[in-house]
Amino acid sequence: MKTYLVSLAALLALASCGPSSKDSETSSQGGANHVVEAIMTRTSIRSYTAQTVGNDTIEILLRAGMAAPTAVNKQPWHFVAITDRAKLDSIAVANPNAGMAKEAPLAIVVCGDMNKALEGNVRDFWIQDCSAATENILLAAHALGLGAVWTGLHPNDERAKAVSELLKLPDSLVPLCAIIIGHPAESPEPKDKWLPENVSYNVYGGKQSK
């Protein structure tokens, strides 16, 4: 893992040394590097301390979610922020993959709003939109020093139904996932998922030009 982080630092340094004729671009490279570093070092956290997450921080996370790209700017999402202890415990029961919710102070259930979704054969673009919002929340949580993990609901009908009933969701809302969030009580190493064989250039199997 140390090798991975060293390689990451080297890549960021190389990228920041690229040619630029604008002072504004040079001055922004440090911030861009912080963003890339946050992406590369985020990892799933499944154990949390008893410390709560403040309302201001929750709003930042929700704002980050709503800043995600969305097809035709439909913004077909609705977020349910859960801080109630009994509800969090019930989330852990409704979704077997979210057992860590029993010790977490916060969960955000990301839902697709079918009243805002596109029509016809592009309707399922809501899944992409809500997934982008979910990733934004995960990255924002990491940047704020929190830990989080994405636990899936849709398209598992049983889990989605259980959470819908728990949160009293209208039929128009489909729960895509529950993000469990808290102050981390563990420090797992980020995984190096870089695999060059998963990349083609220009056409399938194409190699990068020298």
Side-chain angles (χ1 to χ4, degrees):
M1 185 50 60
K2 287 183 178 179
T3 302
Y4 166 52
L5 294 177
V6 169
S7 299
L8 172 60
L11 283 171
L12 291 174
L14 181 62
S16 68
C17 292
S20 174
S21 60
K22 298 181 181 179
D23 292 340
S24 60
E25 291 179 1
T26 302
S27 63
S28 68
Q29 286 167 350
N33 285 355
H34 288 309
V35 172
V36 173
E37 184 176 3
I39 293 170
M40 297 297 191
T41 58
R42 189 214 65 80
T43 190
S44 295
I45 301 295
R46 295 178 173 85
S47 182
Y48 316 97
T49 70
Q51 185 177 353
T52 60
V53 178
N55 290 336
D56 290 345
T57 301
I58 294 174
E59 182 172 328
I60 291 172
L61 296 174
L62 295 170
R63 285 177 176 268
M66 293 185 197
T70 164
V72 199
N73 197 31
K74 283 293 188 178
Q75 303 176 42
W77 45 52
H78 187 89
F79 304 87
V80 182
I82 305 169
T83 57
D84 178 78
R85 182 71 268 153
K87 282 284 194 296
L88 288 165
D89 290 347
S90 295
I91 286 287
V93 174
N95 182 1
N97 290 337
M100 71 291 296
K102 289 185 177 180
E103 63 179 43
L106 171 66
I108 296 176
V109 175
V110 182
C111 305
D113 187 341
M114 297 303 100
N115 289 334
K116 299 178 182 177
L118 292 166
E119 299 294 335
N121 61 2
V122 293
R123 186 174 181 81
D124 281 349
F125 276 169
W126 74 266
I127 297 174
Q128 297 183 38
D129 296 343
C130 289
S131 294
T134 300
E135 183 68 7
N136 271 17
I137 292 172
L138 291 171
L139 290 172
H142 178 56
L144 292 168
L146 298 170
V149 60
W150 179 334
T151 67
L153 297 171
H154 177 80
N156 186 306
D157 292 337
E158 183 178 353
R159 295 178 188 178
K161 180 181 179 181
V163 170
S164 293
E165 292 176 351
L166 173 66
L167 303 182
K168 300 180 180 179
L169 300 179
D171 292 341
S172 59
L173 295 186
V174 179
L176 176 72
C177 65
I179 310 170
I180 315 303
I181 304 168
H183 294 269
E186 61 177 354
S187 301
E189 294 284 352
K191 298 180 179 68
D192 182 1
K193 300 177 182 178
W194 168 247
L195 290 173
E197 59 267 33
N198 287 344
V199 181
S200 296
Y201 293 88
N202 298 312
V203 296
Y204 178 75
K207 304 300 182 182
Q208 186 177 27
S209 59
K210 301 296 185 181

